[in-house]
Structures are given as structure tokens and as C-alpha cells.
Amino acid sequence: MPELVLETNGRTWTLDPSRRYTLGRDPQGDIVFDDARVSWRHATVGFDGRGWVIEDHGSTNGTFVRGQRVQQVEIGPGSAVHLGNATDGPRLNLSAAAAPVAAQGAHAGWAQQAPAAQQPPVAQQHAAPADWQQAQAQAQAQAQAQAKPQQQAPAQQQAPSIPHQQQGGPGGGAGAPPVHGDRSPTTFHQFSLGRVMRIGRALENDLVVSDLQVSRHHAEFHATPDGRFEIRDLGSHNGTYVNGQPIAKGGSATLGPSDIVGVGHSTFRIVGDRLEEFVDTGEVSFSARHLTVTVDGGKQILKDVSFGVPEKSLIAVIGPSGSGKSTLLKALTGYRPADQGEVLYDNRNLYKQFAELRQRIGLVPQDDILHKELSVKKALKYAAKLRFPSDTTAQERNARIDEVLRELKLDIHKDKKVTSLSGGQRKRVSVALELLTKPSLIFLDEPTSGLDPGMDRDVMQLLRGLADDGRTVLVVTHSVAELAICDKLLVMAPGGSVAYFGPPEEALNFFGYDSWADVFSAFENYRDYDWAGRWKGSQHYQMYAADIDSVAPQAVPVAPPQALKPPKPQSWGSQLLTLIRRYVSVIVSDKGFLALTVLLPAVIGSVSLLIDHEKGLLVNPINHKTGLHTPNGTATTVLLILAVGACFAGSANSVRELIKERVIYERERATGLSRSAYLMSKVVVLGVVTVLQGLLVGVIGFSSRTIPDEGLILGHGTLLELCLPIMALGFSSMMVGLVISSLVKTSEKTMPLLVMFAIVQVVFTGCLFTLHGTLGVNEFSYLMPSRWAVAAAGATLDFNKIAPNTDDPTSTDPLWDHAASAWTVDMIALIALGVVCGFLVARFLRRHEPEVMRK
């Protein structure tokens, strides 16, 4: 077996054919390189029985032989290999061995250390920031004086780590920007004049796309007789896009030579009479350019943030409180676009093409985005039902769910309730939900918050695996224990600027401290120091971020923002039905809520029976001596208790419903959920529960008492006529509870508002004091649901006689008139208040949607 001599940067190694050697920046590898263009685990060299072979392991910037990017190729004496760049990347010269294999082995000879410029002396490590640049400059000068010229390429020749800025290989290499021509198409399809080419998931299509985001019959390409081409949407559920903008459902658009058509995870471009297809398999890059966010008052909470990451990377974002990490995450995902700058998804402007690109981005917030009362598989089933097109079969959805559960090792927990899982397992379930649609880019906000060190490591290893499987993963975290497994680290300084971006293993040396606790203390102690200026003046900036603007974004025509109306994967009715079924499942799974739902109205109705129960009169009694009607305080007191009880029960049912699901709603809204369908599902389910509670309260409170023989509207159905205002009051109060829930920022703030609402309703029922004739107070009472509900029931009971105005017996309340018209007006006003609350909730929900969608 022939031995092989490998030489680079003046060092030589004799390789043993009986083993394989790993090349990369990993200090634990066999042959270690200290060059930013070389990946962590870049390639391997080994003898395959016939000859020596070098194999690239999905490196970011590629492996090159004779100027061509290669995946696996035979090498031998006389060969030359470049890593990271075809011209000036680290060069490997190979020759035949003249001696036995060296005893020390390749690994021992390559136990490299970081350059002297990256290892400040002890005094530097504890210096104030003002002294760092001087100390670093001295260290760099010493390193340059000691280093050999060929051992380190000049800073201006070192390519940045962004693959879009590298060239070479077919189509510009794996890292080339997808300007759809710079990257080789996945496949080609030939057009003929007048031919129609149909695209869809079904096998009978001319172009079959195996993607659950694509409808069975999605769209058609038409070649017109005049030589032009157009795309027609066939009523697809997730939409057909031209240059990132959706065309009308069932509509069409004429295509120009530079137009890009998006269908699911595939994009198409017409070149001559040929259709080129590009399939987004996850190997995409991501970059932010000069992001700046300014809030009211002109304060900048994000300042000129720029960085770029290659495909299949894991990036961690850390920084002290107030450094803008959450704002940055919102800017990167489009939830709150930056006021200045742009975010590029594989060289496509995310803000301008959000309607299409949102389907390829996954976001896992800090809070769980699943209903904890459901089992893992049931929760994923409802999520898949909402996110996949309505023509997706249950078998297809279940197959995708099972695939994701196996990938994340959750299949053994699929029948457990989410709430019974550990913190790390719940985070895996949230990730599983995002993986259903196969996103290429995944963002996570504090996924290890509240987890112990073991779970912290498990979650970060999970993210490492997701990146290795072909996704770009960005995680905002406070944990610094597992940063070493990341490809890049972004450190945010106080005030929202970048303090460092580059390999995590070089970060502490860059700052000149021994631990991250020291670095964060320095941030706190030197808040006015120009951390961004120090970063931009460093050699690391030249290596990893200086050329962020070197590649122009994809230039395509973009429709104005007001034309952004993303289609929904499901019809409105289908979404509503799915949301109702899910909400009912959640309620049924919560035994405590079910018990309280029945117990609360029963207690309220029973309490009213304690009031003058022996007489039990809800009618105007007659004085047998005088033959005249006398006031009946019992009726007003009973009605007051029942009305306030219905108010409290209705609002209590809903006051937490929106706030506790806010994170879920925000994420689902970004994936195509209809706001009105979501709100209507709450109204329907909670409305049914609340109306039944009102009926129970009314039946218990009224049935055992003496009531009029005939009602104003329902004749002998007086009991039902008295219950209807209580039921409608519960419904309107439930709508007020939804308003409160849509306004507050935390669940803790709902209880004080709930109590305040109930107390205000007591005051304005009209049972405690006379409202009619009290200027201002009476008019204000018209805004209170309890005022109209008591008035409707009072009209049936003839409250003008039961509780006359003692100050002015001739003055009567028109809302209490014993007439069918008064009862009808009272009920219409009561229901109208509930409808108005519904409109308010819909408006307030807009505040919790991605801002780019609101614009």
C-alpha cells in the first residue's frame, strides 16, 4: 500500500494508507487549519484500496483540484489541492513517500494553537477596553515579525466566511447566490410552442413537485403563439408567486426574461424555450445588511448590524440585556422589519418577498407554540391541517408527522400530553412543528431558557444536527456553555451594535478575557465604549464581515407593499372548522376547566335562591288592604345577582384565552392563519359555553320563583324570555373579556381588569339607584351590557311598577317599559355591544401579527 506525503505551509506529513485523515479547523481533527475559509470539518483523505481519495464533507467554501470544485476525487503524487478558495486557499502538495510513516502521526504534528495575535498576554486579558487596541496591535506586530510569509495569507486576500462571496465550480459553487443562473438548476424542462405545462403534486401533472406545500394541481405555464410565456394559478392553496409576490388565486401573469416563479419550495425561470427549476433543499445562505431600528424619540435600539452566514450553519447570538437581541430576531424574521437595511434570504430581499419566503422560514419562540393539553401527535395533526393545503390527504399529513417525530426522536412520546414532557422534550416538539413544512432557515429564541445544563446540551446538539442535515439555524441564547458547537457567533453590545462576529473559539481571545462573565462585566462597566468601532477596526472584521456588501441582491421587479396579500393554505371555512375542533379538544382535555364551567353558574344561580326564598316573588305584589301594587325589592336584588354572575362567568371564560395563546397566534398568523377565522373559533366555542352557562343560571334563579304568567314576546314561555337576557349578557361579557385579553401584555394583568369590569357592571345595572333622569350617568350606562340585560328582564317583569322612582313616581325608565318594543330594543342593544367588541378584538389582534404583513 503506497504511502503519501502531504505538504502545506512548509510542513510535511507522511500519511498511513490504513487510516483516514480529517482536514479542517476542528482542533480535534487530524490536520488542523487556522483559516476562516476552511470549514470546521472540511474534508477527509484516505486510501480506498485502489488509490488515494480526498472527499469534501459539505464544506462551505469548497475543495478545489485544478481550479474545479470537487466532491470526491482521486489524488496522488504531483496533485495540488486548495481548500476554501481555488486560487489562494490553503494549498496541499502531494508527493510519493520516501520513508515509512512518521511515528508521531498526523494528529500530533498538527496540534496547532491560535496565532499570537489572537492570544493576548495576561495583562491584556484584564485590560480596560481603551488599552485593548494598543495591546492587540503590539501582539499582531510580534506575530507578523515571527510568522513566515507563506504561513498566513494577507488580510486583504482572506475571503470572508460568506459563501456568496466565493466563486468557482459549476454555477459558482454551492455557496453562490441564487440569482437563478449563478447556481446550476436542479433540472430542465423543454417548452414547445403552444404547449401547456402543468405543475402540481399529483402524478398526472407534466411537472410533478413532491412538496406538501404544493397543491395537487397548482399552476400552469403557457407558451403563447407570439412567443411569450405566462403562468396561471389553478386555485392553489399556498399560492403562486412571481418575484416573491402572489398572483391572484386563479389569475395569471405574463413573464419576462428576469422573472422568477415560486411554487412551494421550488422556483422556476424561463430561459429561451427552456424552463429551469431550482429546488430549495435547505442549502441556503442568510445575511443581514446594515439593519437599524429606531423607536419613538429617535433612539436607536439596533445600530448598523451586518453579518452573513453560509448554508448549513449554526449561528448563536449572545449579548447582555438591552443589546437588542429580541429586536434583531424580529428584524431577521420580518415580524418587525428594520427601519433601515435589508435581510437577504439566499440573496432575495425577505421584506419585499415575505409572502413567498415566509413558508421557508421556521421560528421557535421562547414560549411553547403548542397547546400543552393535547398529545404530541394530536397537536402536530392540527398544526399540519392548518399549514398544508386542503387537498392534502390525512395519510400524507400523518406520514410527514411520523417522519419528523422519528427525526427528532419523539416517536416514543407521541401519545403523551405536551404538558407531561420535560423542558427539553417540549422544545423538541416546538421544533417538530416548524419542521413539518421543511423550512430551510430556522430561528430559535432562548430555546434553553430554564433548562438544566444537561438539557441545554441536548437542545444545542439537536440544533447542530439540524444544521448538519442541511438547514441554516440561528439561535438567540443566554447560555454560553455550548457555543463551541456553533459555526459562527454573533456578540451584541449594549445599544444594539455588533461587538464580534466570527468563530466562537476565537471570541474570548478577541475580547481579551478568560470567561464570558468577564466580557459581559466589561460591557456593563464600559457601556459608552465604542464596541462596534473596535470590531470594525479589527482583523476579524476584515476576515468575516468586511465584504458583506460585495454581492448585489437579486434585482427583480417587486409589487408595491399594499399589494401584499398572501394566500391562505386552507379556505376560511376549513380553517374555522379545524380551529373549532382543536379548541374543543383543548377544553375537553382540561378536566378542571370543564368542572369549573358547570360549577360556577350553578353556584351563582343557587346563591340567588337565598334571597327571600320563602316568598319567592318576582312580580309586583298587591296590598290586600289598599288593593294597590307595592314595590318588590326582592326582584331587583335577585336580578342584580344573576346579572352580575353572568357578567363575571362570561368574562372569566375568555379573559385569558387570547393572551395565553398569543405566541401560538403570532406564529400561525405568519404561516397563513386567517385572523377572522381564529377569532370566530373563539366566539363560537366560548359563546356556546357561555350561553349554556347563562341558561343554567337563569333556570336555577327563576324557575323556583313566582314569575308573570305571560311574557312580552314568548307568551307562556316567560321563563325562557327571562333567561334570554341573562344568556345574551353572558355572551356580551365574554366578548368584553376577549377585548381585555387582546389588550393586556401578560396574563397577570387580566384579573384586576376582570374584577373592575364586574364591579362597574354592578353599579350600572340600575338596581342600586335610579339611572333614568341622572344626566351623564344614564347616558354612560348605555355602554354597559348589564344595563341592557337588566332592562330586558325588567321589561318582562314590569320594573317600572316593581321598583318605581321614589323621588319622582311619575318618572319611568323607558328601557323598563312593559312592552314588546322595549324588550326588543334592549336585546338588540345588548347583542350590538357584543358585535362592537368583536370588531375591536379583530383590530387589536393586528398588533400581534408580523409587521410586514400589516403593511
Side-chain angles (χ1 to χ4, degrees), residues 21-24 39 41-45 54-57 59 63 83:
Y21 297 83
T22 61
L23 287 67
S39 296
R41 298 176 181 85
H42 195 103
T44 58
V45 176
I54 186 168
E55 179 181 358
D56 186 276
H57 284 281
S59 66
T63 303
L83 305 180

Side-chain angles (χ1 to χ4, degrees), residues 151-489:
Q151 285 181 331
Q152 186 171 353
Q156 64 268 22
Q157 294 180 359
Q158 293 184 358
S161 60
I162 308 170
H164 293 346
Q165 299 161 6
Q166 312 296 333
Q167 301 295 329
V179 189
H180 303 295
D182 295 342
R183 178 180 290 177
S184 297
T186 307
T187 185
F188 302 96
H189 308 277
Q190 199 68 32
F191 263 125
S192 59
L193 194 62
R195 181 186 172 190
V196 175
M197 183 177 293
R198 175 173 292 184
I199 304 173
R201 205 173 70 248
L203 296 178
E204 62 265 22
N205 290 286
D206 302 301
L207 202 163
V208 179
V209 180
S210 300
D211 182 357
L212 291 182
Q213 295 284 77
V214 177
S215 298
R216 296 184 61 82
H217 300 96
H218 197 104
E220 290 179 342
F221 281 101
H222 287 254
T224 60
D226 60 0
R228 297 190 300 171
F229 296 90
E230 68 176 13
I231 180 71
R232 296 179 184 174
D233 184 83
L234 300 178
S236 64
H237 299 280
N238 276 326
T240 304
Y241 301 82
V242 176
N243 301 324
Q245 303 301 311
I247 63 176
K249 194 168 186 177
S252 62
T254 303
L255 302 176
S258 62
D259 289 334
I260 305 298
V261 177
V263 174
H265 286 81
S266 299
T267 51
F268 303 87
R269 186 179 74 166
I270 296 176
V271 180
D273 60 350
R274 187 176 67 178
L275 181 66
E276 297 182 347
E277 179 183 5
F278 305 81
V279 179
D280 186 347
T281 58
E283 297 182 347
V284 299
S285 63
F286 186 77
S287 61
R289 297 186 178 184
H290 309 292
L291 299 183
T292 299
V293 174
T294 306
V295 295
D296 296 337
K299 180 182 178 181
Q300 290 185 341
I301 55 178
L302 213 60
K303 299 179 181 178
D304 193 25
V305 175
S306 296
F307 64 95
V309 295
E311 58 195 39
K312 297 192 297 184
S313 297
L314 174 59
I315 304 94
V317 180
I318 65 172
S321 300
S323 59
K325 300 188 298 298
S326 298
T327 303
L328 175 62
L329 189 63
K330 292 178 180 179
L332 295 177
T333 56
Y335 272 59
R336 199 289 187 192
D339 301 308
Q340 299 177 29
E342 57 189 3
V343 177
L344 301 183
Y345 174 99
D346 228 14
N347 214 46
R348 301 174 66 184
N349 192 303
L350 175 64
Y351 296 161
K352 295 181 179 179
Q353 304 185 37
F354 183 80
E356 177 186 356
L357 297 180
R358 63 175 182 161
Q359 303 177 34
R360 309 186 192 182
I361 296 177
L363 173 62
V364 180
Q366 183 174 350
D367 298 323
D368 294 326
I369 51 178
L370 291 168
H371 292 88
K372 299 178 182 180
E373 299 84 0
L374 301 178
S375 67
V376 171
K377 189 161 187 178
K378 182 175 287 188
L380 293 178
K381 279 184 177 181
Y382 285 122
K385 179 71 173 175
L386 289 172
R387 297 193 180 194
F388 289 138
S390 57
D391 60 3
T392 307
T393 64
Q395 183 178 3
E396 289 175 313
R397 292 194 299 270
N398 289 334
R400 178 58 187 157
I401 291 171
D402 290 339
E403 180 183 351
V404 170
L405 290 175
R406 287 193 300 270
E407 179 180 359
L408 299 182
K409 299 180 176 60
L410 287 171
D411 46 340
I412 60 175
H413 303 295
K414 63 182 180 181
D415 295 322
K416 297 180 181 178
K417 284 189 175 182
V418 176
T419 187
S420 67
L421 302 177
S422 66
Q425 291 169 343
R426 285 202 303 271
K427 193 58 62 177
R428 283 178 177 264
V429 177
S430 295
V431 173
L433 186 150
E434 293 301 313
L435 292 185
L436 289 176
T437 54
K438 297 184 178 180
S440 302
L441 186 64
I442 302 178
F443 293 92
L444 300 100
D445 186 12
E446 300 286 356
T448 61
S449 177
L451 302 183
D452 61 51
M455 290 184 180
D456 181 356
R457 181 182 58 191
D458 291 343
V459 171
M460 292 301 292
Q461 288 178 345
L462 165 67
L463 303 184
R464 176 72 264 173
L466 294 178
D468 293 338
D469 288 341
R471 305 175 183 93
T472 300
V473 182
L474 187 145
V475 53
V476 175
T477 180
H478 276 110
S479 175
V480 296
E482 304 296 330
L483 296 179
I485 68 174
C486 300
D487 297 299
K488 291 290 188 295
L489 174 65

Side-chain angles (χ1 to χ4, degrees), residues 20-43:
R20 298 181 66 84
Y21 297 83
T22 61
L23 287 67
R25 293 190 353 261
D26 185 358
Q28 303 303 317
D30 296 305
I31 302 178
V32 184
F33 293 84
D34 185 33
D35 191 295
R37 295 165 292 182
V38 178
S39 296
W40 191 256
R41 298 176 181 85
H42 195 103

Side-chain angles (χ1 to χ4, degrees), residues 6-169:
L6 184 151
E7 185 274 336
T8 181
N9 284 346
R11 298 187 180 185
T12 59
W13 289 264
T14 303
L15 307 185
D16 185 350
S18 64
R19 57 165 297 191
R20 298 181 66 84
Y21 297 83
T22 61
L23 287 67
R25 293 190 353 261
D26 185 358
Q28 303 303 317
D30 296 305
I31 302 178
V32 184
F33 293 84
D34 185 33
D35 191 295
R37 295 165 292 182
V38 178
S39 296
W40 191 256
R41 298 176 181 85
H42 195 103
T44 58
V45 176
F47 190 82
D48 66 354
R50 294 175 301 176
W52 288 91
V53 174
I54 186 168
E55 179 181 358
D56 186 276
H57 284 281
S59 66
T60 298
N61 296 319
T63 303
F64 301 86
V65 175
R66 292 185 295 277
Q68 296 296 317
R69 184 166 182 166
V70 298
Q71 181 65 33
Q72 181 174 332
V73 68
E74 288 192 6
I75 55 176
S79 299
V81 179
H82 283 87
L83 305 180
N85 190 283
T87 56
D88 64 345
R91 177 187 174 98
L92 311 179
N93 295 312
L94 306 173
S95 59
V101 179
Q104 73 273 16
H107 184 274
W110 275 81
Q112 293 188 0
Q113 301 294 328
Q118 299 174 6
Q119 294 183 354
V122 175
Q124 178 189 344
Q125 293 178 2
H126 300 284
D131 302 326
W132 282 352
Q133 290 184 338
Q134 180 179 359
Q136 189 180 35
Q138 293 174 355
Q140 290 178 353
Q142 295 173 2
Q144 292 172 358
Q146 298 172 0
K148 296 181 179 180
Q150 68 272 23
Q151 285 181 331
Q152 186 171 353
Q156 64 268 22
Q157 294 180 359
Q158 293 184 358
S161 60
I162 308 170
H164 293 346
Q165 299 161 6
Q166 312 296 333
Q167 301 295 329

